[in-house]
């Protein structure tokens, strides 16, 4: 007699939350103003996914959560921009791994996210299972192993923390055992969009792979909830330094007081602002773009007005793979012979010698 083992699938709470996510504008309780057949079509070109945790933060039509998560008809009607704005494909020696800078590589290990951000610069790829395969992961690891100049591996996707603990541990083990890899970084939006994913079991596993850094991604103060704070506390208590890469988004956070509050609140949950990005010129995202002066204005309203630790670098990731370039407001107004005329954060002028002696 044979017994068939009954397969009982037990889900972790975070997987349960994910399984209840919505994938169509029709499932929203807030009805968008736009023609619903139109935005349904958007979701067919660029997948929509909002999990119930993130959806709960959405309070009203057009609020900062709505703007990040709900498809907009302009994604398919305004076609400025590039499919692959950073030329990641062109700089990929193997599929899913971009080697642009000499000492570090960007390695995509997951095609899924806990929420699909409408402004994503990889929106051409995220949510498509072909983005990452078992084969591409294997080839990526082999490339890193063979390329001795890579001392920093940045895991991204999609969201690496949507892998199961054991799948992620397997990849981390392989990379961690490569002698020339000095540090590993994980880029993940999970602390913001699905903080329940950060469990004691996960952090216990991650701790084995130090020095490990996490860069997360919050865009608005309303995303800093008690759940997000708990997730970041677990990671920080595991000795993982957490940075934040915020994207400047038209109509969502392109405002000095919103960004200042966001950066201050990040420090309260032990997250250090790392980069503030000018939105990439990705096709289907042009309604999020802001003029460069807006970012410079925001930066000049941070410097001097709040804790230095709160101040990220404002970055343009140049199109066609030019790389990340910091842009800063200019404080040097003029030179007068051997002297500089420097403006302070309040706009007052000071004279400073070019050569102190
Ligand atoms: C952003 C990025 C990195 C990491 O850049 P840092 O400035 O070191 O954070 C590495 N590789 C690629 C291809 C990137 O786009
Ligand atoms: S979490 Fe990151 S990769 Fe995923 S959709 Fe948002 S921006 Fe893109």
């Amino acid at each position: 007699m044979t017994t068939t083992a009954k397969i009982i699938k037990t889900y972790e709470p975070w997987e349960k939350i994910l399984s209840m996510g919505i994938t169509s504008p029709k499932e929203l309780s807030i009805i968008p103003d736009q023609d619903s057949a139109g935005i349904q079509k958007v979701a067919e070109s660029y997948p929509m996914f909002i999990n119930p945790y993130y959806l709960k933060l959405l309070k009203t039509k057009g609020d900062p959560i709505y703007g990040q998560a709900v498809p907009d008809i302009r994604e398919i009607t305004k076609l400025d921009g590039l499919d692959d704005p950073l030329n990641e494909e062109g700089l990929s020696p193997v599929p899913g791994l971009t080697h642009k800078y000499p000492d570090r590589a960007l390695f995509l290990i997951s095609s899924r996210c806990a929420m699909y951000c409408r402004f994503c610069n990889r929106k051409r790829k995220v949510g498509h299972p072909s983005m990452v395969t078992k084969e591409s992961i294997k080839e990526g690891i082999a490339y890193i192993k063979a390329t001795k100049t890579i001392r920093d591996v940045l895991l991204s996707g999609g969201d690496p923390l949507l892998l199961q603990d054991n799948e992620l541990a397997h990849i981390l083990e392989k990379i961690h055992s490569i002698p020339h890899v000095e540090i590993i970084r994980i880029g993940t939006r999970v602390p913001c969009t699905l903080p329940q994913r950060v469990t004691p079991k996960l952090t216990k596993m991650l701790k084995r792979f130090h020095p490990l850094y996490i860069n997360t991604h919050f865009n608005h103060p309303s995303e800093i909830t008690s759940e997000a704070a708990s997730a970041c506390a677990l990671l920080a208590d595991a000795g993982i330094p957490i940075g934040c890469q915020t994207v400047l988004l038209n109509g969502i956070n392109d405002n000095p007081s919103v960004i200042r509050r966001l950066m201050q609140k990040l420090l309260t949950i032990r997250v250090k602002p790392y980069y503030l990005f000018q939105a990439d010129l990705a096709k289907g995202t042009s309604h999020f773009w802001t003029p460069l002066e807006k970012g410079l204005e925001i930066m000049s309203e941070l410097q001097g007005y709040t804790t230095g630790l709160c101040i990220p670098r404002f970055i343009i990731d140049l199109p066609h793979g030019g790389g990340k370039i910091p842009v800063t407001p200019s404080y040097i107004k003029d030179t007068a012979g051997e002297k500089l005329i420097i403006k302070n954060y309040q706009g007052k002028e000071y004279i400073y010698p070019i050569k102190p002696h």
Side-chain angles (χ1 to χ4, degrees):
M1 202 171 84
T2 56
T3 54
T4 318
K6 195 170 168 198
I7 299 167
I8 302 169
K9 272 212 159 167
T10 53
Y11 291 107
E12 297 251 14
W14 65 271
E15 295 174 286
K16 188 103 190 243
I17 297 171
L18 271 184
S19 71
M20 297 186 303
I22 62 169
T23 56
S24 156
K26 287 182 236 151
E27 297 168 86
L28 285 167
S29 54
I30 293 176
I31 311 296
D33 288 328
Q34 298 169 339
D35 122 59
S36 61
I39 68 166
Q40 182 60 38
K41 241 173 88 188
V42 177
E44 284 158 22
S45 305
Y46 300 116
M48 165 182 169
F49 183 76
I50 316 175
N51 75 61
Y53 165 77
Y54 199 74
L55 192 57
K56 202 182 67 195
L57 305 183
L58 193 170
K59 304 287 187 230
T60 54
K61 196 181 293 185
D63 74 13
I65 303 298
Y66 182 100
Q68 293 186 67
V70 178
D72 185 296
I73 193 72
R74 289 170 291 182
E75 292 174 46
I76 55 171
T77 56
K78 287 181 74 187
L79 298 177
D80 322 63
L82 304 158
D83 265 331
D84 178 8
L86 307 177
N87 188 25
E88 290 184 339
E89 319 278 343
L91 295 163
S92 293
V94 294
L97 184 141
T98 303
H99 191 187
K100 168 153 79 181
Y101 304 105
D103 72 337
R104 53 212 192 277
L106 171 74
F107 185 17
L108 310 185
I109 60 167
S110 163
S111 47
R112 294 162 66 217
C113 298
M115 188 278 279
Y116 291 129
C117 312
R118 306 319 302 174
F119 54 85
C120 181
N121 62 5
R122 286 188 204 120
K123 68 188 291 163
R124 72 191 183 281
K125 287 171 89 165
V126 292
H128 300 290
S130 62
M131 175 181 181
V132 172
T133 60
K134 277 204 164 70
E135 199 50 40
S136 72
I137 291 180
K138 237 171 104 178
E139 283 184 53
I141 292 169
Y143 179 84
I144 296 165
K145 205 178 246 173
T147 312
K148 295 227 162 58
T149 54
I150 298 175
R151 42 160 290 284
D152 169 8
V153 175
L154 172 50
L155 301 176
S156 184
D159 199 312
L161 293 190
L162 282 210
L163 298 182
Q164 295 292 334
D165 290 357
N166 61 344
E167 293 174 298
L168 181 59
H170 180 75
I171 296 170
L172 287 168
E173 268 156 22
K174 294 255 151 108
I175 296 171
H176 196 251
S177 71
I178 301 172
H180 54 267
V181 174
E182 295 175 358
I183 65 167
I184 300 176
R185 292 193 270 174
I186 298 177
T188 171
R189 218 186 160 187
V190 146
C192 171
T193 53
L194 183 66
Q196 296 80 359
R197 167 65 184 106
V198 181
T199 60
K201 189 168 152 260
L202 175 75
T203 52
K204 193 169 162 223
M205 180 276 279
L206 293 176
K207 262 173 93 159
R208 289 168 35 213
F209 303 104
H210 273 310
L212 179 76
Y213 290 76
I214 282 187
N215 264 336
T216 186
H217 176 174
F218 287 85
N219 289 333
H220 195 273
S222 64
E223 294 170 335
I224 301 185
T225 61
S226 58
E227 291 91 337
S230 306
C232 293
L234 273 174
L235 294 167
D237 285 349
I240 303 170
I242 315 165
C244 183
Q245 311 198 139
T246 297
V247 184
L248 199 54
L249 300 167
N250 178 43
I252 290 174
N253 62 8
D254 58 337
N255 172 303
S257 62
V258 169
I259 292 286
R260 184 159 60 227
R261 197 62 201 126
L262 171 63
M263 301 303 158
Q264 291 167 339
K265 284 183 88 174
L266 285 169
L267 287 193
T268 69
I269 64 166
R270 299 155 79 185
V271 175
K272 166 77 184 86
Y274 178 56
Y275 286 158
L276 173 66
F277 281 113
Q278 173 80 349
D280 289 327
L281 304 178
K283 193 193 276 175
T285 68
S286 63
H287 51 294
F288 290 111
W289 300 349
T290 53
L292 196 63
E293 298 88 64
K294 181 52 79 176
L296 290 171
E297 177 201 340
I298 289 171
M299 291 308 290
S300 60
E301 294 205 25
L302 288 174
Q303 182 67 48
Y305 292 98
T306 191
T307 309
L309 280 170
C310 292
I311 306 178
R313 269 187 297 162
F314 177 44
I315 299 279
I316 306 176
D317 211 339
L318 293 169
H320 311 293
K324 295 185 181 72
I325 295 301
V327 266
T328 12
S330 172
Y331 292 93
I332 298 177
K333 278 199 69 177
D334 211 344
T335 55
E338 295 288 290
K339 313 264 189 219
L340 291 177
I341 302 170
I342 301 181
K343 175 178 85 159
N344 83 345
Y345 69 99
Q346 299 154 308
K348 285 196 247 169
E349 287 178 15
Y350 293 82
I351 306 287
Y352 195 83
I354 294 176
K355 292 182 190 156
H357 54 241

